[in-house]
Amino acid sequence: ALNGRKLPKFSLSLSTVNKHKPWIETTYHGIVTENDDKVLLDPPLIALDKDAPLHFNKYFSTFSLLIHGQNVPFEAVVLDKSTGEGVIRAKDKLDCELQKEHTFTIQAYDCGEGPDGENMKKSHKATVHIQVSDVNEYSPVFKEKSYKATVIEGKKYDSILKVEAVDADCSFQFSQICSYEIVTPDVPFTVDKDGFIKNTEKLNYSKERMYKLTVTAYDCGKNRASEDVLVKINIKPTCKPGWQGFNKRIEYEPGTGSLALFPSMHLDTCEEPITSIQANIELETSHIGKGCDRDTYSEKSLHKLCGASTDTVELLPAPSSSANWTVGLPTDNGHDSDQVFEFNGTQAIKVPEGVVRLTLKEPFTISVWMRHGPGTREKETILCNSDKSDMNRHHYSLYVHNCRLVLLLRQDPEETDNYKPAEFHWKLDQVCDKEWHHYLLNVEFPSVALFVDGATFEPFLVTEDYPLHSTKIDTQLTVGACWQENSGHDNETVSEPSTGGNSRMSQFFHGNLAGLMIRSGKLENKKVIDCLYTCKEGLDVQLPEEVASTVKVEFNPNQSSLTVEGDDIEAFDKVMQHISYLNSRQFPTPGIRHLRVSTTVKCFNEETCISVPDAEGYVMVLQPEEPKISLSGIDHFARGAAEFESPEGVTLFPELRIVSTITREVEVDAEPEASEVQETVVSEEIMHNLDTCEVTAMGEELDGEHETLELDQSQVQQHGLEITSSNLGLVLTGVNTMANYEQVLHLIRYKNWHTEALFDRKFKLVCSELNGRYISNDFRVEVNVIHTANPMDHANNAMVQPNFINPVHHASVDLSGHNLVNAHQASVVPSAATIVIVVCVSFLVFMIILGVFRIRSAHQRTIRDTEGGKENEMDWDDSALTITVNPMETYEDQHSSEEEEEEEEESEDGEEEDDITSAESESSEDEEAGEPEDQQGTSRQQQLEWDDSTLTY
């Protein structure tokens, strides 16, 4: 009641209906620090509901929060149900480097009506953006382990190189590198905040060639790099244009084909723009042989190899038994190169008569290698054919005068005496440049063609003259001067090498000559001329396909130099890297070949803008493995006198073998587990040609009246060889295989028509290759003559001198046969009993000597095989022996045993004992077979007996 009044009575009813949805903000932004779970949201997370307050209805104001999304690492939690306040928390620790931001949705729910939650209401979905805040947990790391740069001295650079570090933190602040620092003190370099390093002063190459710097980095959180980095700065001297990567020494191993000379070379132009490059590569070979490495066979052999006819005559041959007129001339005396003859202005030679048969009316060729420098004003004669006496007429000659080459041709008398070409003059720089050149003249009168190093030259002057008058004066062919009577020169009386007497020479030559040849009846063609001049060594290049059209390459005729032109540096460098050296000889001349690269570079103004210095080096041709030529075979045998006197004669080298070997060092492992490598020497058989084999009679020269060495000329020609013979022996020449030489040598026969006073004959065989550069061993062969006598003579002698007890002792007889022809004068015929005793004792002595000989032969066989040939192994001390006639024993049986012994010596070592047993058995059988024949009184030839009366046992 109010103021005594009584208020009206009414009742209040609370609504239990959930009319409104919970409400939250539409968007939330949050920040969470990595390694933490609390999220700071803006605005705060609060859920509201317009239904009755909590004290009226506790169910409507009770909330729950739900996060929508897959794999959301967060959860929503209601902190205060009365106020609707909630938070978002991370389920696990977050990593900013893995994910910087997270976005998801959240929704609020009330609890509905009544305890069962009926008619539950939910809010709209709100978007939540959460950013993970970074922690500076990572330090900077450099991208490279080290840095390198090269600078040129004397320059200050704005930037030499850039170092760069990175940071793995996810935030801008902590992931950015804010500064770099050079840790190394007192260096003329600095680094800026972006990592660019530059020099603070001009650098000096002579002071320091390389700087090593330690550099570190800092991120914006002041974290230092985990590891500092090393920076190397190389200092180059001031750039000078030139070839880089050029190896001055290049070693060439014989037989390896072509060798790249500049595999890594490139041209440095110091960044100058260029328009063209020209390089000239020169290989200096003038000191090798006759201008370069060529086959050093005789000039005659070279002409034959090049296809020239066989009627070529060599006027300057190597001294030999068949051609000895060059014996006294000084030579290079070096078998590694061609044999060169020196003419010093005081020496000349006379060519023997009959060597050259030249008619000027027929075509002919003269070729020569010549090296000549600036001479005197006098004529210098190379070749001259002049009157031998009374007159000084020159019929034909080749000479040098004032650096001109002159050919003189005086025609023989004819019915009409008209002027005809007589002198042909060529003015040539090559004549006086002190270099080797090849000259060849093709003469087909009245035309003359000159080829110098394969190139044709026309005469600049031709003079005419009358033909010579007819005379009966003989002519003299000379080399190095001209035979001339009363010349008036100071040096006209000079001893000739060939004769040793006073000569009448003039117009002496000063220089070197080699390979002087005359070929009559035919001219040389261009193919043969090029072949004679071509070198066996030179430069070569295989152009890559991609640069073949952009670079031009030209060679000189003998490939000792080449020129390369182009406008692209890269293409030019590729061509230079493919230039190679090649020597096709099996045994090249060792030594140095100098190499020079001259370069010209032009810029856009078509002028030479930079100067490229010459690059100089050399090719070192190593010493080839020298072959050892070994001759072996039967070096001692005996034949009956009848065989020597027969038309076939005796074959000297029936089982000759020619073998060539080289010795090499190879590396082998001593044991599988051994780390060291050992070297061992091995011998390897090789094949190559021979150019000469000479058979010489030892002792007295061959007497052409009763002995000779014969060889079928057709067989020699069939094998492509030539033969010359003299009283010293015979010589086989020609470049051919060892097998062909071996076959021809098997056919050489020795014949002797008067063997009465001959007991033995010794011969020596020597073969060589490359004009004597490689020479075989001396293979010596001794042939013994077996003499037989009439048995009736011995019967008569028995009547005159029956006393056998005190025989007449003569001088010791050499078993090799000396004085064997007089052996019958000391023979006697004893009684029958004495004959039986002599037979037995002789057989015993023979077996003892044979055994001693066999032991000695076995001991010396190894030495004989290695030396290839040696002195007769059948010699023994026979000073106390005499030979008497014994009708009970045959010398042929002994000879048969000796031949068996020779065969046994050549057999293999493994069969030695079996061979000895067999030989002894055969010898015994021969003796047993001889006795019945004696008992039957069969007529036999004269027989020999060992007189052992003076032997000491």
Side-chain angles (χ1 to χ4, degrees), residues 13-45:
S13 176
L14 294 175
S15 175
T16 59
V17 178
N18 188 11
K19 297 181 180 180
H20 300 283
K21 298 177 180 179
W23 178 90
I24 57 177
E25 298 288 344
T26 58
T27 303
Y28 293 92
H29 295 275
I31 297 176
V32 60
T33 302
E34 62 179 344
N35 304 325
D36 194 4
D37 61 348
K38 186 179 293 184
V39 179
L40 299 178
L41 289 176
D42 181 25
L45 179 59

Side-chain angles (χ1 to χ4, degrees), residues 308-551:
S309 62
T310 57
D311 55 357
T312 303
V313 179
E314 191 170 6
L315 300 183
L316 287 176
S320 65
S321 59
S322 58
N324 59 0
W325 60 86
T326 59
V327 170
L329 281 178
T331 67
D332 65 348
N333 200 26
H335 291 152
D336 285 346
S337 59
D338 300 314
Q339 190 163 30
V340 175
F341 294 93
E342 180 182 356
F343 293 84
N344 57 12
T346 62
Q347 289 181 310
I349 62 171
K350 293 195 301 183
V351 179
E353 293 185 19
V355 174
V356 177
R357 293 178 176 86
L358 181 62
T359 302
L360 299 184
K361 294 181 180 180
E362 296 181 354
F364 67 93
T365 297
I366 299 176
S367 65
V368 65
W369 286 93
M370 181 176 70
R371 178 169 61 185
H372 181 264
T376 62
R377 295 181 178 273
E378 301 294 331
K379 293 180 180 180
E380 299 180 49
T381 300
I382 301 170
L383 175 68
C384 179
N385 185 283
S386 60
D387 290 333
K388 182 175 288 188
S389 61
D390 299 331
M391 305 180 71
N392 292 328
R393 299 180 306 171
H394 295 183
H395 294 257
Y396 63 88
S397 68
L398 181 66
Y399 62 91
V400 174
H401 188 210
N402 290 333
C403 295
R404 298 177 182 180
L405 185 67
V406 183
L407 175 65
L408 170 66
L409 294 176
R410 298 295 302 276
Q411 293 299 303
D412 294 332
E414 294 183 353
E415 295 180 359
T416 58
D417 292 340
N418 297 327
Y419 275 106
K420 293 186 177 181
E423 283 189 336
F424 299 82
H425 297 251
W426 292 270
K427 190 173 183 179
L428 304 168
D429 295 334
Q430 292 90 332
V431 172
C432 293
D433 63 0
K434 294 184 179 180
E435 300 290 342
W436 278 107
H437 297 284
H438 182 252
Y439 302 84
L440 188 142
L441 295 107
N442 274 337
V443 181
E444 189 171 16
F445 194 82
S447 65
V448 178
L450 172 65
F451 296 86
V452 181
D453 297 337
T456 307
F457 290 85
E458 295 294 332
F460 81 96
L461 176 63
V462 177
T463 61
E464 296 182 343
D465 202 346
Y466 285 109
L468 295 173
H469 296 291
S470 177
T471 62
K472 295 183 179 181
I473 300 175
D474 293 332
T475 59
Q476 176 64 59
L477 183 62
T478 56
V479 178
C482 205
W483 184 269
Q484 185 169 318
E485 187 176 5
N486 298 325
S487 62
H489 290 77
D490 295 337
N491 56 358
E492 69 179 12
T493 57
V494 180
S495 297
E496 299 171 58
S498 58
T499 62
N502 291 330
S503 66
R504 296 167 292 177
M505 295 286 189
S506 65
Q507 303 175 5
F508 284 87
F509 181 78
H510 296 74
N512 297 100
L513 297 176
L516 180 57
M517 308 286 293
I518 290 184
R519 179 185 180 187
S520 178
K522 192 175 181 181
L523 304 180
E524 298 290 10
N525 57 50
K526 188 64 167 63
K527 183 179 180 181
V528 173
I529 296 172
D530 292 339
C531 175
L532 293 173
Y533 173 70
T534 301
C535 294
K536 293 293 185 178
E537 66 176 340
L539 301 174
D540 191 19
V541 62
Q542 298 293 332
L543 290 178
E545 294 182 0
E546 62 271 18
V547 300
S549 59
T550 60
V551 180

